[in-house]
Amino acid sequence: MTEKIKDSYDVLLYMSDQHTAGVAGFMGDKIVRTPNLDAIAERAFVFENAYTTCPLCVPARASFMTGRIPSRLGVFNNAGDFKSSEPTFAHAHAMKGYESVLIGRMHFVGMDFYHGFTKRIGSDITNSFWGYTTEKREDMGDFGRSFYQKYCLEVIGKGESPVSRYDQEVVRLAEDYLDGEYQKPQLIVVGTYAPHFPYYTDAELTEKYRQLIKKDYQRSECDSRLPPVLSKKQYATDEEIINLRSSYYAMVETMDAQIGHVREKFGQYLRRNNRKGIFIYMSDHGDQLGYKSLYGKQTFYEKSAKIPLMIEVIGKPGGRIRESVSIADLAPTLCEINGTEPLPFTDGRSLCSLMKGVREPERYVLSEFYDTIQGKEVCGRMVHCNGKKLISYQDFEELDELFDTEKDAQEENNIAKIDIDCYNKLKNYLIKFGHSTNYMQSYRENKQKYEVLEKYGENQTHLNQYTYTVPEDVRKVEEQFKRKKRKNIG
């Protein structure tokens, strides 16, 4: 893209939840059917090495909104709320005269349900205040525990779920909104929940993928020695893994169809109003899907930390971009594209120069995850640059893992003690960026604070005014799809 990107683009950003980057046709998957995303990718800028700043929903989304890494915001886990005083790209666009609209999911926790959006339509599927967890919600029925990574294997099956019904509702609301007429330019974020577990969705699609996945299935065992990784191992049979992947692939295909509908409606809106537009598709993090005996997120491996990201400047050519980029880059990118007030103190960097053809091979991307292992707080960090990834956990540095993500996509060969120059370069970047102990006291204090709020919020269900209520007809799971509850993992 050689010309300068002018301001005042209407923007529609579609954000899914837990979509592994590799499970998409445009990212090389030979099984999944994603015709709409593939068609958009032909016209868009596709970022082949995009990563989350944290492989967990709330920290990643706070980072996405502000352009800052989660620890600088004091958002360490899914109980975290980032302060209302933190400026977001929604604030910046509203100041410029945009209608900034959130439709559906963003996983805001606390008492600020807008964070700069001037309009919010619909609700979130997960709780918006502490204590009202899915495990305790009567409306979640049999699905309650299966929304958690720890219990995600308890329900694997075929049928309609709270997730499928919720996403249908969000897409309907988005299409209805795009049928309207508006004087202001629009910044619209549409948030859906699939393909996040529970692994339970359309029977016909699931069965189709079960037959395809079963043909080339190979079990993947965990070869890491890192205690923070080993603590997240779960056991599933080969049949269970095949079934959950089949369900996941089915959810991705369903999501692709929904994206196609929303993208078409957005195009109609732009043509009807003679507006220029940008369409963005992305997710907040991925899902391990049983690779390395891991499920869900909370690891720095490719299946969990890498995200799909494409930016379509409608009517302009795109291209494939290999540089490492971050979910935190979206906020400064949108602000630069539309000429808004720039956000202060961002860690992310605008992607506009890459979209203009400027190459940046030495582009470093940071991801972090704060955890508690055997009662002790531990910080893990990942840095990716130019096809190489270093994973390092505080107090376990002797077990650091370095992977060549281009030549070793399954991350089977740790080359930390082989490619010493690369290891030192990436390690020095982590050291230069800042030591994790700066944030550990804040992490401890937040844990104590949220424990109080959890107890308070358990009976304050009225505080969850933006929480979706699951219809009664999708609260039950057929007995054949229920797995015996397991309290211990690893």
Side-chain angles (χ1 to χ4, degrees):
M1 187 170 185
T2 55
E3 67 179 80
K4 181 180 178 181
I5 299 176
K6 298 182 177 64
D7 60 8
S8 295
Y9 281 87
D10 282 45
V11 178
L12 193 146
L13 188 151
Y14 193 111
M15 191 175 199
S16 64
D17 197 311
Q18 204 159 299
H19 182 193
T20 290
V23 183
F26 72 92
M27 291 296 284
D29 193 289
K30 303 298 184 184
I31 296 176
V32 73
R33 187 174 180 275
T34 52
N36 293 290
L37 285 172
D38 297 349
I40 297 169
E42 288 294 318
R43 311 184 294 264
F45 293 97
V46 176
F47 296 86
E48 297 179 341
N49 290 291
Y51 291 87
T52 187
T53 49
C54 179
L56 189 62
C57 296
V58 172
R61 289 164 180 269
S63 184
F64 156 72
M65 291 292 300
T66 61
R68 304 182 70 194
I69 63 170
S71 59
R72 293 205 200 277
L73 298 168
V75 181
F76 300 100
N77 52 39
N78 276 356
D81 60 321
F82 66 97
K83 299 178 182 67
S84 296
S85 57
E86 293 289 350
T88 70
F89 65 80
H91 286 114
H93 280 74
M95 284 192 295
K96 174 110 190 229
Y98 275 74
E99 193 80 81
S100 52
V101 186
L102 173 60
I103 305 175
R105 175 167 177 74
M106 189 46 68
H107 211 157
F108 292 147
V109 179
M111 298 308 293
D112 187 344
F113 303 113
Y114 286 83
H115 286 284
F117 287 106
T118 57
K119 186 177 293 185
R120 182 165 183 179
I121 300 172
S123 53
D124 208 320
I125 192 170
T126 48
N127 55 295
S128 52
F129 196 81
W130 299 273
Y132 191 47
T133 59
T134 58
E135 190 175 358
K136 297 173 183 176
R137 283 171 53 185
E138 292 183 3
D139 68 302
M140 282 294 181
D142 295 336
F143 290 96
R145 280 168 50 113
S146 63
F147 276 73
Y148 292 89
Q149 178 163 320
K150 189 174 182 179
Y151 307 114
C152 67
L153 300 179
E154 289 184 358
V155 173
I156 304 172
K158 310 168 188 175
E160 193 168 27
S161 76
V163 175
S164 57
R165 186 66 68 86
Y166 173 76
D167 285 357
Q168 291 166 18
E169 173 68 7
V170 171
V171 170
R172 181 188 66 78
L173 291 170
E175 291 180 322
D176 288 348
Y177 186 79
L178 289 167
D179 280 335
E181 302 297 332
Y182 312 104
Q183 293 298 316
K184 290 183 176 182
Q186 300 290 308
L187 171 74
I188 305 167
V189 176
V190 177
T192 53
Y193 199 61
H196 195 290
F197 42 65
Y199 303 112
Y200 195 90
T201 192
D202 182 81
E204 185 176 344
L205 273 180
T206 299
E207 184 57 30
K208 179 189 79 171
Y209 281 114
R210 198 180 76 83
Q211 299 302 325
L212 294 170
I213 289 171
K214 192 173 183 179
K215 289 181 182 178
D216 298 317
Y217 169 79
Q218 291 183 331
R219 193 172 183 89
S220 172
E221 300 291 353
C222 184
D223 53 5
S224 176
R225 295 165 52 213
L226 283 163
V229 173
L230 295 175
S231 70
K232 291 175 173 54
K233 283 179 59 179
Q234 298 189 59
Y235 175 77
T237 66
D238 290 336
E239 190 68 15
E240 287 172 330
I241 296 170
I242 291 168
N243 287 340
L244 76 84
R245 289 181 189 171
S246 303
S247 177
Y248 186 89
Y249 273 57
M251 283 192 280
V252 170
E253 179 171 333
T254 299
M255 177 193 71
D256 177 83
Q258 293 169 337
I259 291 170
H261 291 308
V262 173
R263 170 62 182 82
E264 177 58 30
K265 279 284 187 180
F266 183 53
Q268 292 172 5
Y269 167 80
L270 295 174
R271 292 189 292 272
R272 196 169 63 245
N273 292 277
N274 193 29
R275 299 284 302 170
K276 297 182 298 181
I278 289 177
F279 180 85
I280 300 172
Y281 172 69
M282 62 184 298
S283 200
D284 54 354
H285 54 75
D287 188 320
Q288 281 293 135
L289 294 172
Y291 292 95
K292 296 182 179 288
S293 302
L294 301 167
Y295 300 85
K297 51 262 188 173
Q298 300 182 27
T299 81
F300 296 118
Y301 298 124
E302 292 289 271
K303 297 287 191 296
S304 170
K306 193 172 184 178
I307 61 172
L309 172 62
M310 63 171 78
I311 300 177
E312 179 191 10
V313 183
I314 296 173
K316 304 289 184 182
R320 311 284 290 202
I321 295 174
R322 291 183 60 252
E323 278 86 348
S324 305
V325 302
S326 168
I327 195 172
D329 296 336
L330 268 296
T333 299
L334 288 170
C335 291
E336 181 176 347
I337 285 175
N338 284 321
T340 75
E341 187 80 14
L343 297 180
F345 317 120
T346 56
D347 299 298
R349 298 160 59 189
S350 173
L351 301 172
C352 288
S353 61
L354 291 174
M355 294 163 63
K356 293 174 185 176
V358 178
R359 300 276 64 87
E360 301 176 29
E362 293 298 303
R363 214 172 191 279
Y364 294 86
V365 166
L366 180 76
S367 187
E368 56 184 3
F369 183 70
Y370 286 72
D371 207 350
T372 302
I373 306 298
Q374 297 177 343
K376 182 179 180 180
E377 293 85 4
V378 175
C379 172
R381 282 184 168 171
M382 178 210 90
V383 57
H384 189 277
C385 179
N386 204 21
K388 301 289 175 59
K389 176 202 287 184
L390 174 64
I391 298 171
S392 182
Y393 285 86
Q394 181 185 356
D395 298 331
F396 302 104
E397 283 88 354
E398 72 279 3
L399 301 175
D400 281 357
E401 296 178 339
L402 176 67
F403 298 106
D404 186 325
T405 55
E406 293 183 350
K407 297 178 181 178
D408 180 21
Q410 300 304 316
E411 297 165 290
E412 296 175 331
N413 302 305
N414 181 5
I415 57 173
K417 291 181 170 47
I418 299 172
D419 193 342
I420 304 298
D421 289 342
C422 179
Y423 173 82
N424 287 335
K425 182 174 74 170
L426 296 181
K427 189 72 172 182
N428 287 336
Y429 175 82
L430 290 182
I431 295 171
K432 181 180 177 181
F433 190 86
H435 201 277
S436 58
T437 53
N438 297 338
Y439 303 105
M440 295 315 297
Q441 182 60 33
S442 178
Y443 176 55
R444 289 188 202 100
E445 290 175 356
N446 280 0
K447 283 175 62 180
Q448 294 172 356
K449 177 177 71 175
Y450 298 141
E451 285 173 5
V452 174
L453 290 168
E454 287 262 346
K455 293 173 184 176
Y456 170 75
E458 285 180 0
N459 298 315
Q460 308 294 326
T461 57
H462 65 281
L463 294 170
N464 283 273
Q465 58 180 300
Y466 285 102
T467 301
Y468 175 74
T469 300
V470 177
E472 190 171 352
D473 63 330
V474 291
R475 297 178 186 178
K476 298 296 180 184
V477 174
E478 290 185 42
E479 288 299 321
Q480 62 176 312
F481 298 134
K482 293 180 184 178
R483 189 178 193 247
K484 185 178 179 181
K485 290 185 177 182
R486 291 164 53 89
K487 293 186 178 180
N488 60 320
I489 60 174

